[in-house]
């Protein structure tokens, strides 16, 4: 009885926290973010300009304000959720108040998978349909669309979702094989991040992997720990579609090129040798107690690369997914908005809550120095090209003796570091990884 009473108290506390965070963060979606018309805006390697004339040279302009909005909204947004299946070993049915870094890690991985399956040029055809208007809140807008979707399902409509009728080309678009393929992958990627125990990259699975580093549901996760959890989640994923992707996490701010290429050239599920795409995660620290402004140009340079999949960062104890910048402000998606659980296993589940209707901006100097930078490389040649390009960027931006991180030829074992095997039979993390993860849990990483 005593245990049951404790569980009830925890459930009530969990509901209270969800309500508090909703009240605390719901205004975020209703506040407007102001952008300068005189400066370019970068979003994961694409450059946009809101001015129609007099655009300065120096970068290829991908579009105007509407194209930027469409591109931004197309990114997958993963936030706090409530009323999902209970997390194993706890009474928690929400991650409100503690799961923000896991959510930003999910967003970074989702962008990597979008590059892999859909390409950087892909945008969600219905992106602008969910944009909030001045006359109604995003929540009310979503309710209307969900109601329309539900009514459509009752009439046995077979479309992926109810579509706006002001597009005369809608029928043609839905009949297009390529668009249909993209829609399937769009939904599939989101479903991998569903909030239920069997989802490959869902919160439940990530928490299970986190237990190996001493973390439990309800703990706060740092960006370096999350990088290792994501690597293990991809490594353990059983979906055949995911066998062509691997994740590499830099060791002590060093990317060992031969280790990366070994991962890319490992045997795939088909039984024949082939190359895998790799998502490279680099946990770094942009200063001591505060972010060093000398790193601003490097961070902007990284976010200007099309193979960049974003940065897991934020303010102290408040994680954001950084995806772009304008001038000295970073553009981000905020996971601190508690939404209701969506069952992604049902056919034609609603997509609106997985796409952020409005970007937010934050001054670079407010950024917490602890972060994890992500890159995607489809082939070994792409990795080699990226390592050369980023190395030049690191050298030009480094005012001190040591760059933020380095690419080194050879294997980690060549430098007397314990080499982590690609697969562990009896344990998810090797002893060396466990020690490193526990150190990250307290220190995040070592300063050079």
């Amino acid at each position: 009885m005593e245990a049951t009473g404790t569980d009830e108290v925890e459930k009530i506390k969990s509901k209270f926290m969800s309500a508090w965070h909703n009240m605390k963060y719901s205004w975020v979606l209703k506040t407007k973010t102001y952008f300068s018309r005189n400066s370019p805006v970068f979003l994961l390697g694409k450059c946009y300009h809101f001015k129609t004339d007099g655009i300065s040279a120096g970068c290829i302009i991908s579009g105007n304000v509407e194209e930027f909005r469409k591109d931004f909204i197309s990114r997958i947004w993963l936030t706090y959720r409530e009323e999902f299946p209970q997390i194993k070993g706890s009474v928690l049915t929400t991650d409100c108040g503690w799961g923000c870094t896991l959510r930003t890690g999910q967003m970074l991985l989702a962008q990597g998978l979008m590059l892999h399956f859909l390409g950087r040029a892909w945008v969600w055809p219905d992106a602008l349909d969910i944009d909030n208007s001045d006359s109604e809140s995003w929540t009310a807008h979503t309710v209307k669309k969900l109601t329309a979707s539900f009514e459509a399902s009752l009439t046995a409509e077979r479309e992926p979702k109810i579509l706006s009728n002001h597009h005369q080309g809608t029928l043609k678009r839905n009949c297009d094989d390529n668009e249909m393929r993209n829609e399937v992958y769009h939904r599939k990627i989101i479903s991998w991040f569903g909030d239920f125990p069997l989802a490959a990259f869902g919160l439940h699975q990530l928490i299970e992997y986190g237990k190996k580093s001493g973390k439990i549901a309800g703990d706060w996760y740092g960006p370096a720990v999350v990088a290792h959890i994501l690597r293990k989640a991809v490594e353990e994923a059983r979906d055949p579609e995911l066998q062509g992707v691997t994740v590499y996490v830099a060791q002590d701010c060093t990317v060992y090129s031969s280790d990366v290429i070994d991962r890319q050239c490992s045997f795939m599920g088909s039984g024949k040798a082939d190359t895998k795409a790799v998502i490279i995660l680099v946990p770094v620290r942009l200063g001591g107690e505060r972010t060093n402004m000398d790193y601003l140009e490097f961070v902007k340079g990284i976010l200007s690369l099309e193979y960049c999949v974003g940065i897991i960062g934020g303010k102290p104890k408040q994680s954001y997914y950084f995806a772009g910048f304008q001038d000295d402000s970073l553009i981000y998606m905020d996971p601190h908005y508690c939404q209701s659980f969506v069952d992604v296993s049902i056919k034609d589940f609603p997509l609106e809550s997985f796409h952020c209707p409005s970007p937010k901006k934050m001054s670079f100097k407010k950024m917490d120095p602890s972060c994890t930078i992500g890159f995607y490389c489809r082939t070994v040649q792409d990795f080699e090209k990226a390592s050369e390009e980023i190395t030049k960027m690191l050298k030009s931006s480094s005012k001190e003796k040591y760059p933020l991180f380095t690419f080194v030829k050879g294997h980690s074992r060549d430098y007397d570091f314990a080499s982590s095997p690609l697969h562990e039979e009896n344990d998810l993390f090797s002893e060396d990884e466990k020690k490193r993860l526990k150190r990250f849990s307290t220190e995040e990483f070592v300063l050079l």
Side-chain angles (χ1 to χ4, degrees):
M1 290 294 291
E2 194 172 323
T4 304
T6 303
D7 287 353
E8 288 300 320
V9 170
E10 289 299 318
K11 286 179 181 178
I12 292 170
K13 188 191 294 185
S14 179
K15 288 181 182 293
F16 174 78
M17 289 300 293
S18 295
W20 164 247
H21 279 90
N22 258 355
M23 181 178 72
K24 186 178 179 182
Y25 293 110
S26 61
W27 64 271
V28 169
L29 291 174
K30 298 175 184 177
T31 56
K32 288 187 176 181
T33 300
Y34 293 93
F35 289 85
S36 169
R37 292 179 60 85
N38 300 315
S39 304
V41 178
F42 286 85
L43 182 69
L44 296 169
K46 285 189 174 289
C47 178
Y48 296 91
H49 211 295
F50 299 164
K51 209 173 186 179
T52 55
D53 54 4
I55 297 173
S56 60
C59 63
I60 299 172
I61 304 300
S62 299
N64 56 20
V65 61
E66 186 168 293
E67 294 301 315
F68 166 75
R69 284 170 52 212
K70 188 184 294 184
D71 191 9
F72 177 84
I73 294 171
S74 297
R75 302 312 105 203
I76 293 176
W77 183 41
L78 297 158
T79 71
Y80 287 159
R81 295 277 174 174
E82 60 182 349
E83 302 302 330
F84 52 62
Q86 191 169 305
I87 296 171
K88 183 180 177 182
S90 77
V91 296
L92 293 171
T93 58
T94 179
D95 61 318
C96 278
W98 56 270
C100 58
T101 315
L102 290 172
R103 295 300 187 181
T104 54
Q106 286 180 320
M107 285 189 259
L108 183 146
L109 179 57
Q111 177 59 22
L113 295 175
M114 288 175 76
L115 284 183
H116 184 69
F117 292 106
L118 298 170
R120 184 62 187 91
W122 178 84
V123 291
W124 186 30
D126 305 311
L128 298 183
D129 293 348
I130 73 162
D131 197 22
N132 54 333
S133 64
D134 294 333
S135 60
E136 61 183 353
S137 71
W138 178 83
T139 306
H141 185 66
T142 302
V143 168
K144 288 182 180 180
K145 290 184 74 68
L146 296 189
T147 302
S149 183
F150 177 68
E151 289 172 350
S153 68
L154 292 179
T155 58
E157 187 167 337
R158 305 296 293 178
E159 297 300 335
K161 64 184 283 295
I162 193 70
L163 300 170
S164 304
N165 56 15
H166 66 276
H167 293 294
Q168 294 185 0
T170 297
L171 185 59
K172 181 180 178 181
R173 186 184 72 209
N174 288 334
C175 293
D176 185 85
D177 289 342
N178 191 51
E179 287 289 350
M180 290 299 289
R181 173 201 170 276
N182 289 344
E183 178 66 9
V184 167
Y185 274 112
H186 177 202
R187 288 182 172 276
K188 181 171 283 191
I189 292 169
I190 291 174
S191 71
W192 284 327
F193 295 90
D195 293 309
F196 65 97
L198 296 180
F201 311 126
L203 195 74
H204 296 69
Q205 285 282 18
L206 299 186
I207 289 167
E208 281 300 305
Y209 297 131
K211 287 179 180 178
K212 306 296 180 180
S213 64
K215 294 289 187 181
I216 60 172
D219 285 352
W220 192 83
Y221 296 70
V225 172
V226 168
H228 285 273
I229 290 173
L230 294 177
R231 178 188 63 77
K232 191 55 65 176
V234 172
E235 194 172 284
E236 296 296 315
R238 292 293 172 259
D239 192 315
E241 296 273 13
L242 294 167
Q243 301 311 300
V245 184
T246 187
V247 171
Y248 172 88
V249 182
Q251 299 180 47
D252 298 310
C253 303
T254 305
V255 178
Y256 294 94
S257 297
S258 295
D259 288 344
V260 175
I261 294 170
D262 283 353
R263 282 188 169 273
Q264 288 188 275
C265 296
S266 61
F267 281 85
M268 296 180 65
S270 60
K272 62 180 181 179
D274 200 354
T275 59
K276 294 184 178 184
V278 64
I279 295 171
I280 300 169
L281 302 179
V282 187
V284 295
R285 192 170 183 89
L286 304 174
E289 291 185 6
R290 295 182 180 179
T291 295
N292 188 334
M293 291 300 291
D294 288 343
Y295 291 123
L296 172 60
E297 292 307 313
F298 172 74
V299 171
K300 289 164 68 171
I302 288 295
L303 292 170
S304 303
L305 303 173
E306 280 208 12
Y307 47 84
C308 174
V309 292
I311 300 173
I312 305 170
K315 298 177 182 178
K317 297 297 181 181
Q318 192 169 315
S319 186
Y320 298 144
Y321 170 59
F322 295 115
F325 69 91
Q326 184 180 47
D327 297 323
D328 293 347
S329 293
L330 299 174
I331 297 169
Y332 66 91
M333 288 198 282
D334 191 346
H336 300 88
Y337 184 69
C338 193
Q339 303 188 86
S340 297
F341 165 70
V342 172
D343 186 354
V344 296
S345 66
I346 63 173
K347 187 179 186 298
D348 299 343
F349 62 87
L351 295 168
E352 288 86 353
S353 68
F354 295 100
H355 292 278
C356 185
S358 58
K360 298 300 166 191
K361 287 172 71 178
M362 184 189 83
S363 171
F364 178 76
K365 64 184 178 182
K366 293 182 179 179
M367 182 181 179
D368 187 279
S370 298
C371 63
T372 290
I373 301 169
F375 309 98
Y376 167 85
C377 300
R378 187 176 294 276
T379 65
V380 172
Q381 290 73 26
D382 288 344
F383 166 68
E384 291 172 342
K385 181 181 177 183
S387 62
E388 288 179 11
E389 189 172 358
I390 296 168
T391 296
K392 289 178 182 176
M393 196 179 293
L394 283 161
K395 286 180 179 177
S396 63
S397 66
S398 178
K399 296 181 180 179
E400 300 179 11
K401 185 177 180 181
Y402 297 103
L404 195 57
F405 61 93
T406 59
F407 289 84
V408 175
K409 294 187 183 298
H411 297 89
S412 59
R413 62 174 176 266
D414 300 333
Y415 297 83
D416 294 324
F417 283 99
S419 179
S420 301
L422 294 183
H423 297 282
E424 296 287 340
E425 291 183 8
N426 301 318
D427 200 356
L428 290 177
F429 291 97
S430 66
E431 289 303 315
D432 181 65
E433 288 173 321
K434 286 179 182 177
K435 290 177 184 177
R436 190 179 297 117
L437 284 170
K438 285 180 179 177
R439 191 187 76 223
F440 283 148
S441 298
T442 54
E443 301 176 3
E444 283 307 305
F445 33 78
V446 177
L447 281 172
L448 289 173

mmCIF file of all heavy atoms in Angstrom, residues 193-216:
data_model
loop_
_atom_site.group_PDB
_atom_site.id
_atom_site.type_symbol
_atom_site.label_atom_id
_atom_site.label_comp_id
_atom_site.label_asym_id
_atom_site.label_seq_id
_atom_site.Cartn_x
_atom_site.Cartn_y
_atom_site.Cartn_z
ATOM 1 N N PHE A 193 10.880 7.972 -33.776
ATOM 2 C CA PHE A 193 11.044 8.771 -32.565
ATOM 3 C C PHE A 193 9.779 8.791 -31.709
ATOM 4 O O PHE A 193 9.628 9.627 -30.824
ATOM 5 C CB PHE A 193 11.447 10.204 -32.943
ATOM 6 C CG PHE A 193 12.790 10.285 -33.612
ATOM 7 C CD1 PHE A 193 12.908 10.196 -34.994
ATOM 8 C CD2 PHE A 193 13.952 10.421 -32.860
ATOM 9 C CE1 PHE A 193 14.153 10.255 -35.617
ATOM 10 C CE2 PHE A 193 15.200 10.481 -33.471
ATOM 11 C CZ PHE A 193 15.305 10.394 -34.849
ATOM 12 N N GLY A 194 8.879 7.870 -31.971
ATOM 13 C CA GLY A 194 7.631 7.809 -31.225
ATOM 14 C C GLY A 194 7.853 7.524 -29.743
ATOM 15 O O GLY A 194 8.840 6.894 -29.352
ATOM 16 N N ASP A 195 6.937 7.992 -28.914
ATOM 17 C CA ASP A 195 7.061 7.824 -27.462
ATOM 18 C C ASP A 195 6.395 6.544 -26.988
ATOM 19 O O ASP A 195 5.401 6.564 -26.261
ATOM 20 C CB ASP A 195 6.476 9.048 -26.756
ATOM 21 C CG ASP A 195 7.305 10.301 -27.010
ATOM 22 O OD1 ASP A 195 8.529 10.239 -26.808
ATOM 23 O OD2 ASP A 195 6.731 11.319 -27.416
ATOM 24 N N PHE A 196 6.945 5.426 -27.418
ATOM 25 C CA PHE A 196 6.502 4.130 -26.928
ATOM 26 C C PHE A 196 7.714 3.195 -26.914
ATOM 27 O O PHE A 196 8.698 3.427 -27.629
ATOM 28 C CB PHE A 196 5.344 3.576 -27.763
ATOM 29 C CG PHE A 196 5.688 3.253 -29.191
ATOM 30 C CD1 PHE A 196 6.004 1.961 -29.583
ATOM 31 C CD2 PHE A 196 5.684 4.255 -30.162
ATOM 32 C CE1 PHE A 196 6.312 1.675 -30.907
ATOM 33 C CE2 PHE A 196 5.994 3.973 -31.489
ATOM 34 C CZ PHE A 196 6.318 2.669 -31.853
ATOM 35 N N PRO A 197 7.694 2.136 -26.112
ATOM 36 C CA PRO A 197 8.898 1.334 -25.854
ATOM 37 C C PRO A 197 9.595 0.742 -27.066
ATOM 38 O O PRO A 197 10.812 0.570 -27.051
ATOM 39 C CB PRO A 197 8.380 0.223 -24.924
ATOM 40 C CG PRO A 197 7.213 0.836 -24.231
ATOM 41 C CD PRO A 197 6.572 1.730 -25.240
ATOM 42 N N LEU A 198 8.880 0.426 -28.137
ATOM 43 C CA LEU A 198 9.488 -0.251 -29.274
ATOM 44 C C LEU A 198 10.076 0.694 -30.323
ATOM 45 O O LEU A 198 10.734 0.237 -31.257
ATOM 46 C CB LEU A 198 8.467 -1.183 -29.933
ATOM 47 C CG LEU A 198 7.965 -2.344 -29.059
ATOM 48 C CD1 LEU A 198 6.950 -3.187 -29.821
ATOM 49 C CD2 LEU A 198 9.128 -3.210 -28.575
ATOM 50 N N ALA A 199 9.837 1.987 -30.211
ATOM 51 C CA ALA A 199 10.374 2.941 -31.191
ATOM 52 C C ALA A 199 11.896 2.984 -31.089
ATOM 53 O O ALA A 199 12.452 3.159 -29.998
ATOM 54 C CB ALA A 199 9.784 4.328 -30.967
ATOM 55 N N ALA A 200 12.578 2.833 -32.220
ATOM 56 C CA ALA A 200 14.042 2.708 -32.227
ATOM 57 C C ALA A 200 14.752 3.857 -31.515
ATOM 58 O O ALA A 200 15.709 3.639 -30.775
ATOM 59 C CB ALA A 200 14.540 2.593 -33.671
ATOM 60 N N PHE A 201 14.278 5.078 -31.733
ATOM 61 C CA PHE A 201 14.929 6.245 -31.149
ATOM 62 C C PHE A 201 13.981 7.017 -30.242
ATOM 63 O O PHE A 201 14.176 8.219 -29.990
ATOM 64 C CB PHE A 201 15.467 7.158 -32.256
ATOM 65 C CG PHE A 201 16.265 6.417 -33.301
ATOM 66 C CD1 PHE A 201 15.954 6.525 -34.643
ATOM 67 C CD2 PHE A 201 17.309 5.580 -32.925
ATOM 68 C CE1 PHE A 201 16.672 5.832 -35.603
ATOM 69 C CE2 PHE A 201 18.036 4.875 -33.879
ATOM 70 C CZ PHE A 201 17.719 4.997 -35.214
ATOM 71 N N GLY A 202 12.951 6.347 -29.775
ATOM 72 C CA GLY A 202 11.999 6.969 -28.863
ATOM 73 C C GLY A 202 12.613 7.192 -27.491
ATOM 74 O O GLY A 202 13.654 6.629 -27.138
ATOM 75 N N LEU A 203 11.958 8.008 -26.699
ATOM 76 C CA LEU A 203 12.443 8.345 -25.362
ATOM 77 C C LEU A 203 12.674 7.095 -24.513
ATOM 78 O O LEU A 203 13.676 6.999 -23.794
ATOM 79 C CB LEU A 203 11.421 9.267 -24.680
ATOM 80 C CG LEU A 203 11.916 10.011 -23.438
ATOM 81 C CD1 LEU A 203 12.860 11.135 -23.829
ATOM 82 C CD2 LEU A 203 10.734 10.568 -22.651
ATOM 83 N N HIS A 204 11.773 6.120 -24.602
ATOM 84 C CA HIS A 204 11.875 4.911 -23.785
ATOM 85 C C HIS A 204 13.183 4.159 -24.070
ATOM 86 O O HIS A 204 13.869 3.720 -23.146
ATOM 87 C CB HIS A 204 10.669 3.998 -24.040
ATOM 88 C CG HIS A 204 9.360 4.596 -23.629
ATOM 89 N ND1 HIS A 204 8.800 5.667 -24.292
ATOM 90 C CD2 HIS A 204 8.502 4.272 -22.621
ATOM 91 C CE1 HIS A 204 7.643 5.984 -23.712
ATOM 92 N NE2 HIS A 204 7.445 5.154 -22.698
ATOM 93 N N GLN A 205 13.522 4.017 -25.350
ATOM 94 C CA GLN A 205 14.752 3.321 -25.712
ATOM 95 C C GLN A 205 15.985 4.112 -25.291
ATOM 96 O O GLN A 205 16.954 3.541 -24.785
ATOM 97 C CB GLN A 205 14.800 3.071 -27.223
ATOM 98 C CG GLN A 205 13.886 1.957 -27.706
ATOM 99 C CD GLN A 205 14.464 0.562 -27.442
ATOM 100 O OE1 GLN A 205 15.363 0.399 -26.636
ATOM 101 N NE2 GLN A 205 13.924 -0.427 -28.112
ATOM 102 N N LEU A 206 15.967 5.418 -25.496
ATOM 103 C CA LEU A 206 17.127 6.233 -25.144
ATOM 104 C C LEU A 206 17.406 6.173 -23.649
ATOM 105 O O LEU A 206 18.562 6.133 -23.219
ATOM 106 C CB LEU A 206 16.916 7.687 -25.590
ATOM 107 C CG LEU A 206 16.720 7.929 -27.099
ATOM 108 C CD1 LEU A 206 16.664 9.419 -27.391
ATOM 109 C CD2 LEU A 206 17.820 7.269 -27.917
ATOM 110 N N ILE A 207 16.355 6.149 -22.853
ATOM 111 C CA ILE A 207 16.522 6.056 -21.400
ATOM 112 C C ILE A 207 17.120 4.713 -21.010
ATOM 113 O O ILE A 207 17.971 4.627 -20.114
ATOM 114 C CB ILE A 207 15.170 6.291 -20.693
ATOM 115 C CG1 ILE A 207 14.778 7.770 -20.823
ATOM 116 C CG2 ILE A 207 15.233 5.896 -19.216
ATOM 117 C CD1 ILE A 207 13.357 8.074 -20.444
ATOM 118 N N GLU A 208 16.713 3.653 -21.690
ATOM 119 C CA GLU A 208 17.287 2.327 -21.411
ATOM 120 C C GLU A 208 18.793 2.330 -21.667
ATOM 121 O O GLU A 208 19.575 1.806 -20.881
ATOM 122 C CB GLU A 208 16.611 1.260 -22.277
ATOM 123 C CG GLU A 208 15.252 0.815 -21.775
ATOM 124 C CD GLU A 208 15.321 0.204 -20.371
ATOM 125 O OE1 GLU A 208 16.097 -0.744 -20.167
ATOM 126 O OE2 GLU A 208 14.609 0.697 -19.483
ATOM 127 N N TYR A 209 19.219 2.944 -22.785
ATOM 128 C CA TYR A 209 20.642 3.026 -23.082
ATOM 129 C C TYR A 209 21.361 3.935 -22.084
ATOM 130 O O TYR A 209 22.512 3.702 -21.724
ATOM 131 C CB TYR A 209 20.872 3.513 -24.513
ATOM 132 C CG TYR A 209 20.316 2.581 -25.556
ATOM 133 C CD1 TYR A 209 19.519 3.046 -26.600
ATOM 134 C CD2 TYR A 209 20.578 1.217 -25.500
ATOM 135 C CE1 TYR A 209 19.004 2.184 -27.551
ATOM 136 C CE2 TYR A 209 20.065 0.345 -26.448
ATOM 137 C CZ TYR A 209 19.274 0.840 -27.467
ATOM 138 O OH TYR A 209 18.760 -0.033 -28.398
ATOM 139 N N GLY A 210 20.657 4.970 -21.632
ATOM 140 C CA GLY A 210 21.242 5.894 -20.661
ATOM 141 C C GLY A 210 21.526 5.247 -19.317
ATOM 142 O O GLY A 210 22.420 5.684 -18.584
ATOM 143 N N LYS A 211 20.788 4.200 -18.994
ATOM 144 C CA LYS A 211 21.000 3.502 -17.717
ATOM 145 C C LYS A 211 22.415 2.934 -17.629
ATOM 146 O O LYS A 211 22.969 2.795 -16.542
ATOM 147 C CB LYS A 211 19.976 2.373 -17.554
ATOM 148 C CG LYS A 211 18.560 2.862 -17.259
ATOM 149 C CD LYS A 211 17.593 1.694 -17.146
ATOM 150 C CE LYS A 211 16.174 2.182 -16.854
ATOM 151 N NZ LYS A 211 15.209 1.054 -16.790
ATOM 152 N N LYS A 212 22.990 2.591 -18.778
ATOM 153 C CA LYS A 212 24.335 2.036 -18.801
ATOM 154 C C LYS A 212 25.380 3.068 -18.387
ATOM 155 O O LYS A 212 26.508 2.721 -18.050
ATOM 156 C CB LYS A 212 24.678 1.502 -20.205
ATOM 157 C CG LYS A 212 23.674 0.499 -20.753
ATOM 158 C CD LYS A 212 23.632 -0.767 -19.929
ATOM 159 C CE LYS A 212 22.623 -1.754 -20.509
ATOM 160 N NZ LYS A 212 22.560 -2.999 -19.726
ATOM 161 N N SER A 213 25.018 4.345 -18.433
ATOM 162 C CA SER A 213 25.935 5.397 -17.999
ATOM 163 C C SER A 213 25.521 5.974 -16.651
ATOM 164 O O SER A 213 25.979 7.044 -16.252
ATOM 165 C CB SER A 213 25.998 6.514 -19.049
ATOM 166 O OG SER A 213 24.742 7.145 -19.181
ATOM 167 N N GLY A 214 24.626 5.256 -15.969
ATOM 168 C CA GLY A 214 24.215 5.677 -14.633
ATOM 169 C C GLY A 214 23.063 6.655 -14.607
ATOM 170 O O GLY A 214 22.742 7.221 -13.556
ATOM 171 N N LYS A 215 22.417 6.873 -15.742
ATOM 172 C CA LYS A 215 21.279 7.790 -15.814
ATOM 173 C C LYS A 215 19.967 7.024 -15.695
ATOM 174 O O LYS A 215 19.864 5.879 -16.137
ATOM 175 C CB LYS A 215 21.294 8.552 -17.147
ATOM 176 C CG LYS A 215 22.469 9.502 -17.304
ATOM 177 C CD LYS A 215 22.319 10.702 -16.389
ATOM 178 C CE LYS A 215 23.394 11.738 -16.658
ATOM 179 N NZ LYS A 215 23.255 12.898 -15.751
ATOM 180 N N ILE A 216 18.953 7.664 -15.115
ATOM 181 C CA ILE A 216 17.618 7.075 -15.043
ATOM 182 C C ILE A 216 16.600 8.108 -15.504
ATOM 183 O O ILE A 216 16.911 9.292 -15.631
ATOM 184 C CB ILE A 216 17.268 6.605 -13.610
ATOM 185 C CG1 ILE A 216 17.306 7.797 -12.629
ATOM 186 C CG2 ILE A 216 18.208 5.494 -13.156
ATOM 187 C CD1 ILE A 216 16.785 7.455 -11.243
#
